Amino acid sequence: MNTEEIIALEQKYVVPTYKRAPFVIERGEGCILYDSDGHAYIDLVAGIAVNALGHGDRGILGAIMAQAGKLIHVSNLYHSEPQARLAERLCKLSFADKAFFCNSGAEATEGAFKFARAWAKAKNEPDRVEIVAFTNSFHGRTFGALAATDREKYQAPFRPLLPGIRFARFNDLDSAEQAIGDKTCAVIVEPVQGEGGIHVARDEFLAGLRRLCDRRGALLIFDEVQCGLGRTGTLWAYQHSGVIPDIMTLAKPLGGGLPIGVVLVTQSVADAIHPGDHGTTFGGNALICTVAQAVLDRISRPEFLAEVRGKGAYLMERLHEMNSPHVLEIRGRGLMIGLELDVEANKIVQAGYGKGLILVNAGDKVLRLVPPLIISRQEIDTTVERLTGILAEL
Ligand SMILES: *Cc1c(COP(=O)(O)O)cnc(C)c1O
């Protein structure tokens, strides 16, 4: 099929939940994607912070092939080594004592909320059912996660949503203090907000939330679905602040492009959960856990993380050198960077397609750069050159 035929077929048969780019991506190699007409693009999106090791990674391919030939799936009714090993690795590398596996970020949010309620009930506090979330948050599209996602456009068509979610202002402790009360079972926050426009939580803000949660008897949930797993230059985004959560959600990059979600919890949360309380058919199957181990092994290496920090700083420096009047602010950490513009970010995204750049927005006026973590300095240089050209032509 040629490009037009593929697009026409898709438009006829696929529910139009996404406005898609005007070409068909056929294959990828490292940080470069190729469309069905043979054009090459530098990938600054990485499948929305998913393909941390880029495209066509041999290690991921090897893990898929080795495990797929042995066992792909057996259901969570049975023990399997890859899940046990991945859980151990994730716990040893983080604050957590136990892991729950699911299939996506939204599902991890749902699991975290259910665990928080079960934890409060187990403490004999049945009225402690509320969740506090923040302005500009994004936690996913399922009903519970959507209720905690501060985006009117995403919520409006689907009301009524899950009740009992309160919003406080991001990076504003006074606002958080007013929202967190004796009915709060958990506070959920992204240490670096992704979809909401790349806003970094201040260290004092996270430390303040930790204190408020401890004082009021609520759990602190970090949503590291986008900012976790090396994206900010440390394995976990929370490490920049030193603040430790009770629950952490992961998803996007962990499966190297295959679907996986994780809810990491402390022992005290795990103690509230019993067989039958929660579940999922596919979560943590043998194939995905083997692949995730391969990804985690690579990303968690100190040399790899040091490279991410170095390249993040380099990209930040090069972006500042652009000195474009259209760029109002550059924010972010590591290889998670947002450019606040004085025009619709979508204009730049569209122009990027003609210049061999795959870009994405985060909200209306923020251009988001979340490339594969393996991006080279040369690819960064080419990206900044092309971006400079696009901004100059506005
Ligand atoms: C993408 C995202 C989610 C939702 O993940 P899905 O896999 O799309 O359900 C949740 N939280 C954050 C911070 C995200 O960036």
Side-chain angles (χ1 to χ4, degrees):
M1 281 198 282
N2 69 29
T3 304
E4 287 71 41
E5 288 165 345
I6 297 167
I7 292 176
L9 190 66
E10 206 183 76
Q11 286 175 343
K12 181 150 189 237
Y13 288 110
V14 176
V15 177
T17 51
Y18 283 84
K19 194 166 182 299
R20 289 185 171 151
F23 49 86
V24 173
I25 296 175
E26 208 167 64
R27 67 193 171 86
E29 188 71 52
C31 285
I32 309 296
L33 287 169
Y34 299 90
D35 73 16
S36 51
D37 295 317
H39 300 119
Y41 306 82
I42 302 178
D43 181 9
L44 284 309
V45 179
I48 314 191
V50 167
N51 304 102
L53 300 178
H55 304 278
D57 180 79
R58 294 284 132 185
I60 292 177
L61 185 61
I64 291 174
M65 301 218 296
Q67 185 59 43
K70 206 155 121 190
L71 182 73
I72 293 177
H73 175 88
V74 280
S75 150
N76 283 304
L77 292 169
Y78 310 100
H79 297 287
S80 83
E81 183 173 335
Q83 188 181 110
R85 281 188 178 279
L86 179 61
E88 179 196 34
R89 283 289 281 150
L90 286 166
C91 290
K92 291 208 160 148
L93 287 165
S94 74
F95 70 94
D97 298 308
K98 287 199 161 60
F100 170 80
F101 293 105
C102 52
N103 309 285
S104 69
E107 215 186 318
T109 303
E110 301 292 335
F113 288 179
K114 286 180 73 177
F115 292 171
R117 283 200 175 172
W119 170 82
K121 297 236 168 34
K123 296 198 298 174
N124 267 326
E125 293 194 86
D127 296 333
R128 198 181 270 285
V129 295
E130 291 185 357
I131 308 272
V132 172
F134 293 93
T135 49
N136 289 317
S137 59
F138 185 91
H139 300 295
R141 308 288 204 126
T142 51
F143 273 107
L146 182 60
T149 289
D150 178 37
R151 190 80 74 91
E152 175 61 19
K153 203 178 112 199
Y154 293 168
Q155 291 190 347
F158 306 109
R159 296 211 170 95
L161 303 174
L162 176 76
I165 311 269
R166 283 166 177 262
F167 284 95
R169 276 192 303 278
F170 186 72
N171 268 337
D172 180 340
L173 270 183
D174 292 336
S175 171
E177 180 151 23
Q178 277 167 32
I180 302 169
D182 54 12
K183 288 212 164 115
T184 310
C185 66
V187 173
I188 184 164
V189 66
E190 296 155 80
V192 181
Q193 291 186 325
E195 313 291 315
I198 314 293
H199 299 279
V200 180
R202 281 197 291 273
D203 293 350
E204 317 84 74
F205 177 63
L206 296 180
L209 290 182
R210 179 71 274 176
R211 273 196 309 278
L212 284 170
C213 285
D214 291 343
R215 205 182 302 150
R216 307 258 160 95
L219 297 173
L220 182 58
I221 304 172
F222 284 168
D223 178 342
E224 295 218 7
V225 167
Q226 188 159 160
C227 63
L229 288 157
R231 177 59 53 193
T232 65
T234 50
L235 186 57
W236 316 117
Y238 74 74
Q239 289 172 291
H240 294 274
S241 67
V243 177
I244 306 288
D246 304 289
I247 299 181
M248 180 164 73
T249 55
L250 301 175
K252 288 189 165 92
L254 183 57
L258 294 178
I260 183 170
V262 187
V263 188
L264 290 174
V265 301
T266 58
Q267 189 59 46
S268 127
V269 176
D271 285 341
I273 309 300
H274 306 288
D277 284 352
H278 190 45
T280 162
T281 297
F282 291 115
N285 76 22
L287 178 66
I288 188 61
C289 287
T290 302
V291 176
Q293 268 182 82
V295 173
L296 186 60
D297 277 349
R298 293 263 290 287
I299 290 180
S300 62
R301 284 185 198 149
E303 319 83 78
F304 186 93
L305 294 166
E307 267 291 292
V308 174
R309 288 194 294 277
K311 290 184 295 193
Y314 181 67
L315 174 56
M316 192 62 116
E317 184 190 312
R318 296 293 329 264
L319 289 170
H320 276 288
E321 282 167 16
M322 293 195 308
N323 248 327
S324 165
H326 296 293
V327 180
L328 306 178
E329 193 185 10
I330 306 179
R331 300 188 287 261
R333 222 165 222 173
L335 286 170
M336 182 171 184
I337 295 180
L339 284 73
E340 177 102 37
L341 305 172
D342 70 348
V343 294
E344 296 286 304
N346 192 41
K347 264 189 141 163
I348 313 292
V349 173
Q350 297 300 321
Y353 297 148
K355 300 245 190 235
L357 293 182
I358 296 220
L359 296 162
V360 71
N361 64 316
D364 292 339
K365 292 197 165 174
V366 178
L367 187 70
R368 167 172 37 169
L369 303 179
V370 283
L373 302 181
I374 56 155
I375 193 169
S376 67
R377 279 175 167 74
Q378 198 192 330
E379 285 161 336
I380 288 175
D381 287 339
T382 310
T383 297
V384 174
E385 268 162 43
R386 292 178 186 175
L387 200 53
T388 305
I390 293 167
L391 290 166
E393 281 169 28
L394 276 182

